[in-house]
């Protein structure tokens, strides 16, 4: 650990200028012994900073405090944070949440201290002095910053009306307060355009679930341990859903089998009893074929279907069109694998399916997920612990978004803009009203949106006023006119309802607010006051907001106010006192009260009563997938050179041979949208016809200012207007 003086040196109070040559984030603590080193011990150039062996006892006060990981990850670990002299020096897993049980991913202990205290941290408001994107800022005070935002917004309001203002926020922090509380109240009251955030990621899966099962939880991930068969479908659990691994291992020690469906041979795929390496975007065909094979083999639960399933005949009419041979051809997998999955699924119970976000990121995404969700309904797998789908965890909590976010404040007729379309709208001369002001927060749109080059042109418009609010200076914020420094969740109160497990947690600040940074809630409270919004919705304290986040009298809270949940334990969401088991203590909450294989909800909303399949038509021969990295949470923790080297492009030996490539050479990956340069890794980890690189690297890792999102199209999936990153089709040439 470096000396306190060293830290002060890096706490300089200016923005991005020093960051281009920033030294390694010095706050990084050593890996916690509890951390699970994923992907072997390979940390690509990153080396944990060694702690001093001897700490002068008089100089430091050391204290351990409980917290919760707020990142966009289904696991929502409970943490123990070590603070020395007011700075976070170590983060370990804690046992407050029995599900995460003291284990963390490697990235949080390695990178979070540097994220809080490192050289990219924003500590004061800033005003742009250079050109948009150049990254030159000067320090200003909060009063000036808020005046600046107020005056610019007022002029947009006068000229174009409130809908010319658009919040552009996503899922940086997942605490209920930081993610969407006072901020949304403010934008709702202002009458700003509404942003539909789900389509960027996870929204397709959510809508597919709501359309099939309604607002009800599936089984919690702990129940995977009870299964005789676990199917991880489009879910790289080792990197993105870590705590499912010990549950799967428990199941396997008791004789259970593991199937992994993923185009890429991930670590968990290597360990599986069967790895189905299907072509991206063909999941619906595979799941249909399994359903048809179940029927042929007598594997349907006719009594269950008659009682609990709506739309069986119509659904099967589609599924029956896919023989194993025909599906194998489209999915690019051996026919025998399809028969094996069907046979195992028929004969092994309980059977738990965990669905990740991998299979949603294409134009058939909703269909693929719905067809997977249909399998336990057809085979009658629900109704026992460990049976069904590990999904819908967000529905396990008694959330009250109407009270927390106050959608009733939205003026009638306010338009909603799909987050995937923001780049297009920014450049659309016909849009009425045009977007004239953006408020970017909890989000790094330049790195993560599809069609990156268009997003960049949109952000670069001089006639669009951009406010950027974040913890660290990002490449998106380089386009902001004014930058507001946000607190990390280690500096404010929040409550955490996970989206991958059933434990509710609360955290208090463990360090003081750094520099002049403020919590999101306070930033929008002050902004609301500037606009003269004085009613109690805008003066609510953080404790009030926490109490507004959940139904206080719901039995799941055991009589506690959310703001009083102890910080050293987690509250398990139970139903009649027990863990969720569908048809035992939780039930489908659809219009028909049945599992809807023909969905009235998805029919009304998207004209998609049934799953469907459309192949992607493109002149480019290779499918490009860009799954999550083990080094970042999407782009969070990116930006420091050591931990953000450009990932390689993985290509199958057959495709490399056809192009005369050698391992390690630089290649140009291109299509009609852009061009990205990476090193080639020739590997059988990806099937022929598929290339893969990991998402979220910052532009500074690139020699031409484009990263992999530049090649991803911005069209919509079959439901939820969802993003289709994995519909990218590319050619690869020598550079
Ligand atoms: S990113 Fe996920 S696995 Fe890692 S500490 Fe946070 S919640 Fe846990």
């Amino acid at each position: 650990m470096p000396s306190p003086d060293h830290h002060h040196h890096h706490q300089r109070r200016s923005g991005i200028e020093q960051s281009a040559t920033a030294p390694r984030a010095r706050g990084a603590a050593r890996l916690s012994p509890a951390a699970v080193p994923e992907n072997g011990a390979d940390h690509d150039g990153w080396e944990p900073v060694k702690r001093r062996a001897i700490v002068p006892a008089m100089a430091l006060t050391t204290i351990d405090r409980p917290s919760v990981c707020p990142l966009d990850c289904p696991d929502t670990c409970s943490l123990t944070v070590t603070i020395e002299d007011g700075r976070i020096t170590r983060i370990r897993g804690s046992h407050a949440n029995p599900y995460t049980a003291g284990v963390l991913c490697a990235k949080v202990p390695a990178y979070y201290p540097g994220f809080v205290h490192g050289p990219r941290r924003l500590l004061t408001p800033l005003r742009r002095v250079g050109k948009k994107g150049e990254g030159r800022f000067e320090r200003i005070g909060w009063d000036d910053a808020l005046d600046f935002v107020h005056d610019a917004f007022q002029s947009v309001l006068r000229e174009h009306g409130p809908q010319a203002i658009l919040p552009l926020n996503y899922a940086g922090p997942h605490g209920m307060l930081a993610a969407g509380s006072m901020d949304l109240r403010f934008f709702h009251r202002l009458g700003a355009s509404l942003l539909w955030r789900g389509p960027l990621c996870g929204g397709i899966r959510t809508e597919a679930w709501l359309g099939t099962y309604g607002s009800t939880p599936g089984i919690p991930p702990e129940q995977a341990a009870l299964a005789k068969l676990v199917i991880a479908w489009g879910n790289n659990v080792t990197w993105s859903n870590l705590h499912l691994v010990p549950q799967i291992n428990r199941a396997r020690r008791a004789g259970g089998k593991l199937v992994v469906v993923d185009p890429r041979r991930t670590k968990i795929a290597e360990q599986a009893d069967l790895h189905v390496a299907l072509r991206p975007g063909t999941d619906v065909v595979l799941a249909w074929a399994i359903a048809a094979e179940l029927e042929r083999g007598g594997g349907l639960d006719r009594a269950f279907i008659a009682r609990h399933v709506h739309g069986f005949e119509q659904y099967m009419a589609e599924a029956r069109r896919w023989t194993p041979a025909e599906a194998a051809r489209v999915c690019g997998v051996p026919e025998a694998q399809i028969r094996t999955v069907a046979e195992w699924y028929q004969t092994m119970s309980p059977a738990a399916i965990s669905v990740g976000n991998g299979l949603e990121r294409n134009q058939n995404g909703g269909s693929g997920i719905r067809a997977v969700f249909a399998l336990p309904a057809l085979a009658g797998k629900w109704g026992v612990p460990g049976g069904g789908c590990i999904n819908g965890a967000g529905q396990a909590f008694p959330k009250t978004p109407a009270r927390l976010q106050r959608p009733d404040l939205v003026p009638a007729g306010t338009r909603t803009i799909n987050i995937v379309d923001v780049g297009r709208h920014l450049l659309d001369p016909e849009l009425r009203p045009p977007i004239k002001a953006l408020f970017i927060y909890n989000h790094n749109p330049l790195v993560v949106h599809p069609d990156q080059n268009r997003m960049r042109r949109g952000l670069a418009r001089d006639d669009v006023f951009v406010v950027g609010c974040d913890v660290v200076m990002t490449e998106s914020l380089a386009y902001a006119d004014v930058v507001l420094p946000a607190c990390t969740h280690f500096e404010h109160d929040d409550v955490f309802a996970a989206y991958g497990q059933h434990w509710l947690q609360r955290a208090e600040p463990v360090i003081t607010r750094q520099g002049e940074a403020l919590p999101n809630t306070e930033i929008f409270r002050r902004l609301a006051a500037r606009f003269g919004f004085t009613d109690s919705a805008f003066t609510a304290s953080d404790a009030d907001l926490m109490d507004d986040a959940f139904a206080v009298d719901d039995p799941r809270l055991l009589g506690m106010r959310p703001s009083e949940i102890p910080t050293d334990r987690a509250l398990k969401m139970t139903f009649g006192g027990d863990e969720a088991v569908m048809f035992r203590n939780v039930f489908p909450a659809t219009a028909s009260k049945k599992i809807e294989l023909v969905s009235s909800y998805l029919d009304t909303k998207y004209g998609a009563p049934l799953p469907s399949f459309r192949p992607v038509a493109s002149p480019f021969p290779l499918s490009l997938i860009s799954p999550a990295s083990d080094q970042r949470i999407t782009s969070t923790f990116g930006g420091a050179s050591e931990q953000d080297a450009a990932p390689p492009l993985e290509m199958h030996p057959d495709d490399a041979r056809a192009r005369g490539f050698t391992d390690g050479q630089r290649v140009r990956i291109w299509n009609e949208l852009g061009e990205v340069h990476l090193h080639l890794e020739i590997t059988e980890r990806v099937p022929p016809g598929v290339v893969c690189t990991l998402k979220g690297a910052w532009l500074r890792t690139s020699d031409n200012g484009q990263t992999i999102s530049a090649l991803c199209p911005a069209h919509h999936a079959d439901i939820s207007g969802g993003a289709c990153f994995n519909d990218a089709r590319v050619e690869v040439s020598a550079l």
Side-chain angles (χ1 to χ4, degrees), residues 69-71 73-77 79 103-105 107-108 242-243 633:
C69 180
L71 297 177
C73 168
D75 289 25
T76 317
C77 297
L79 309 177
V103 176
L104 304 182
C105 65
K107 51 195 172 285
V108 156
L242 178 64
H243 297 85
I633 291 283

Side-chain angles (χ1 to χ4, degrees), residues 55-72:
V55 176
M58 301 307 292
L60 298 172
T61 56
T62 302
I63 185 167
D64 281 349
R65 292 218 163 106
S67 190
V68 176
C69 180
L71 297 177
D72 187 1

Side-chain angles (χ1 to χ4, degrees), residues 307-377:
R307 261 186 88 187
H308 298 302
V309 174
H310 170 76
F312 168 75
E313 269 308 328
Q314 275 170 277
Y315 182 85
M316 285 308 296
E318 298 292 324
R320 282 178 201 125
R321 291 167 31 199
W322 296 92
T323 61
E326 184 61 9
R329 193 184 58 76
V330 170
C331 301
V333 301
E335 189 183 328
Q337 287 193 343
I338 301 176
R339 295 190 200 279
T340 302
V341 177
E343 188 197 317
W344 287 2
Y345 198 64
Q346 177 171 343
T347 53
M348 297 175 189
S349 286
I353 304 180
S354 162
V355 176
N357 284 340
L359 67 162
E360 79 162 31
R361 295 157 66 92
N362 69 86
Q363 66 183 12
N364 305 308
S367 295
I369 297 184
R370 293 168 71 187
V372 175
F373 286 163
L375 293 173

Side-chain angles (χ1 to χ4, degrees), residues 1 7 27-30 51 60 62-64 81-91 109 113 117:
M1 199 195 80
H7 285 305
R30 69 178 176 184
R51 287 154 61 91
L60 298 172
T62 302
I63 185 167
D64 281 349
V81 184
T82 302
I83 296 125
E84 296 180 32
D85 259 9
R87 302 174 67 85
I88 294 172
T89 55
R90 189 177 183 201
I91 301 174
H117 299 295

